[in-house]
């Protein structure tokens, strides 16, 4: 059985490394993008992604705009996206939800909480990727 | 060389922050409140990465800093986080579990400063002040210390860890044309919170 593939989009290499380390130990296959633009390119070119973890404040294309662009494409409507950010402003959370994000985690995150959230939401993404 | 910095000196500024006067200073945005928030946010973020710290007043010659600008209604400023390369390398290894290189250390310091300002933003939101964060940038130099003669340094905190000193400081300015006014208090999500939609 293939491991669910998780895309982490963050301009911080340290965060990408931490997420990769945590999720790899939990049995996920993790791929990385360093900003929203690169993340969008990967999402549109790879159909086997089960879930996206996405930062908000990033160069080139920020996370909220990226989610809005991705979710405007019906083929990505079911792809779970969870924002992983230092931001906790309610207006931003509402914007992400309106765009179609499935969750919001405020950094710094706890490893077990990240794994539980990804495990819970990745199932829907796996089913979409299998279609 | 060791420099002594005095947060209390900055607190004396009270109503006049930097070169411009705040027409209608809010009690909740006082220098004391900001100092307390900066102290707490910095210590909490470091603790979340397994780094225990204590308040100190001595700053050595710091060599690397991360700075993030921010703006808000009637507010503009920057948050800085500085330390030495050896201290940063030790803290990185302790938190990340691998030694990393100079680029990784800089990246991690930027992320730490981002987390401190993100947490500070949350505290400001509860007081009715919304700010927008820029992308953090890091700089390397020699003898990086706060300039005590610059009155725009309204708050700074020196924290000592077993690996060395970490300095956080907050520059905040307001303009007469856009005096800071508190909006409604907003309860933000806090570090570690998870919201499933």
């Amino acid at each position: 059985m293939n491991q669910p593939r998780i895309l982490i989009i963050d301009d911080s290499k340290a965060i990408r490394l931490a997420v990769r380390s945590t999720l790899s130990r939990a049995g996920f296959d993790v791929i990385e993008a360093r900003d929203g633009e690169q993340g969008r390119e990967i999402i549109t070119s790879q159909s086997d992604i089960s879930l996206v973890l996405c930062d908000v404040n990033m160069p080139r294309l920020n996370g909220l705009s990226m989610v809005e662009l991705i979710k405007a494409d019906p083929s990505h409507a079911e792809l779970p996206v969870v924002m992983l950010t230092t931001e906790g402003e309610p207006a931003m959370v509402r914007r992400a939800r309106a765009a179609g994000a499935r969750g919001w985690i405020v950094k710094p995150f706890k490893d077990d909480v990240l794994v539980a959230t990804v495990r819970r939401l990745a199932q829907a993404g796996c089913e979409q990727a299998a279609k | 060389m060791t420099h002594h910095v005095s947060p209390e000196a900055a607190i004396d500024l009270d109503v006049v922050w930097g070169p411009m006067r705040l027409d209608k200073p809010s009690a909740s945005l006082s220098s004391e409140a900001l100092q307390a928030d900066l102290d707490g946010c910095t210590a909490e973020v470091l603790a979340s990465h397994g780094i225990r710290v204590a308040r100190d007043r001595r700053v050595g010659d710091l060599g690397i800093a991360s700075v993030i600008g921010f703006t808000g209604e009637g507010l503009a400023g920057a948050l800085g986080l500085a330390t030495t390369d050896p201290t940063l390398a030790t803290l990185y290894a302790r938190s990340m579990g691998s030694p990393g290189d100079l680029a990784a250390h800089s990246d991690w310091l930027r992320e730490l400063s981002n987390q401190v300002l993100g947490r500070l933003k949350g505290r400001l939101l509860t007081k009715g002040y919304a700010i927008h964060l820029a992308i953090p940038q890091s700089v390397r130099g020699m003898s990086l210390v706060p300039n005590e003669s610059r009155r725009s340094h309204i708050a700074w905190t020196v924290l000592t860890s077993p690996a060395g000193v970490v300095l956080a400081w907050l520059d905040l300015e307001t303009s007469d044309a856009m005096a800071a006014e508190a909006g409604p208090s907003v309860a933000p999500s806090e570090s570690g919170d998870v919201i499933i939609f």
Side-chain angles (χ1 to χ4, degrees):
Chain A
M1 181 178 164
N2 290 337
Q3 297 171 308
R5 175 164 285 184
I6 310 300
L7 170 63
I8 169 68
I9 307 173
D10 200 305
D11 57 329
S12 168
K13 190 175 179 181
I15 290 295
R16 298 199 304 270
L17 182 63
V19 168
R20 174 186 284 278
S21 173
T22 299
L23 294 184
S24 295
R25 283 198 305 273
F28 295 96
D29 175 31
V30 181
I31 58 175
E32 303 177 11
R34 63 180 174 274
D35 58 42
E37 190 61 48
Q38 190 182 37
R40 188 167 71 123
E41 290 167 8
I42 291 173
I43 291 168
T44 54
S45 64
Q46 298 190 25
S47 60
D48 58 350
I49 296 170
S50 301
L51 181 139
V52 176
L53 292 166
C54 187
D55 189 16
V56 169
N57 297 320
M58 293 182 287
R60 296 216 294 168
L61 180 63
N62 74 57
L64 291 174
S65 296
M66 193 223 66
V67 174
E68 289 166 346
L69 287 169
I70 287 297
K71 290 296 183 180
D73 180 345
S75 65
H76 302 302
E78 299 303 317
L79 175 63
V81 178
V82 176
M83 311 310 293
L84 180 61
T85 173
T86 61
E87 298 276 4
E89 187 178 345
M92 286 187 173
V93 177
R94 286 195 296 271
R95 183 180 163 192
R97 182 178 187 176
R102 291 293 313 281
W104 188 284
I105 300 175
V106 183
K107 297 179 203 168
F109 59 85
K110 288 186 167 61
D111 289 357
D112 56 344
V113 172
L114 179 68
V115 170
T117 304
V118 168
R119 194 163 274 151
R120 174 176 168 182
L121 294 177
Q123 185 61 34
C126 282
E127 290 167 1
Q128 189 217 13
K131 288 179 183 174
Chain B
M1 182 177 177
T2 298
H3 307 271
H4 294 267
V5 296
S6 168
E8 289 76 9
I11 292 172
D12 289 340
L13 297 176
D14 199 13
V15 175
V16 181
W17 296 343
M20 292 168 279
R21 176 175 288 277
L22 182 65
D23 280 347
K24 297 175 183 176
S26 161
S28 63
L29 199 57
S30 67
S31 298
E32 291 87 345
L34 284 166
Q35 180 69 56
D37 285 343
L38 181 65
D39 291 348
C41 291
T42 308
E44 287 163 17
V45 166
L46 292 173
S48 75
H49 291 274
I51 302 165
R52 297 207 173 277
V53 291
R55 288 289 301 275
D56 203 339
R57 295 168 69 90
R58 297 160 297 150
V59 181
D61 286 339
L62 306 180
I64 181 165
S66 173
V67 180
I68 316 178
F70 61 85
T71 56
E73 189 72 30
L75 303 171
L79 176 127
L81 198 62
T83 186
T84 67
D85 276 312
T87 298
L88 182 58
T90 302
L91 296 179
Y92 177 93
R94 189 171 300 162
S95 177
M96 299 294 290
S98 63
D101 55 18
L102 285 178
H105 301 164
S106 301
D107 174 84
W108 189 63
L109 186 63
R110 290 194 294 273
E111 179 59 28
L112 284 184
S113 64
N114 197 32
Q115 291 179 9
V116 173
L117 189 53
R119 194 176 281 248
L120 193 61
K121 174 180 177 174
R123 298 214 181 167
L124 290 173
L125 275 172
T126 64
K127 295 170 182 162
Y129 295 93
I131 60 171
H132 304 283
L133 278 54
I135 305 291
Q137 304 292 332
S138 54
V139 291
R140 289 182 188 277
M142 295 175 65
S143 302
L144 300 174
V145 292
N147 184 344
E148 292 182 75
S149 66
R150 279 205 59 206
R151 293 169 68 85
S152 63
H153 283 125
I154 109 156
W156 60 75
T157 185
V158 182
L159 299 171
T160 299
S161 76
V165 164
V166 176
L167 167 72
W169 75 95
L170 184 69
D171 273 7
L172 180 63
E173 293 182 352
T174 64
S175 75
D176 289 342
M178 41 179 203
E181 295 278 6
S185 176
V186 174
S189 301
E190 296 180 349
S191 301
D193 281 358
V194 178
I195 304 169
I196 304 295
F197 302 140

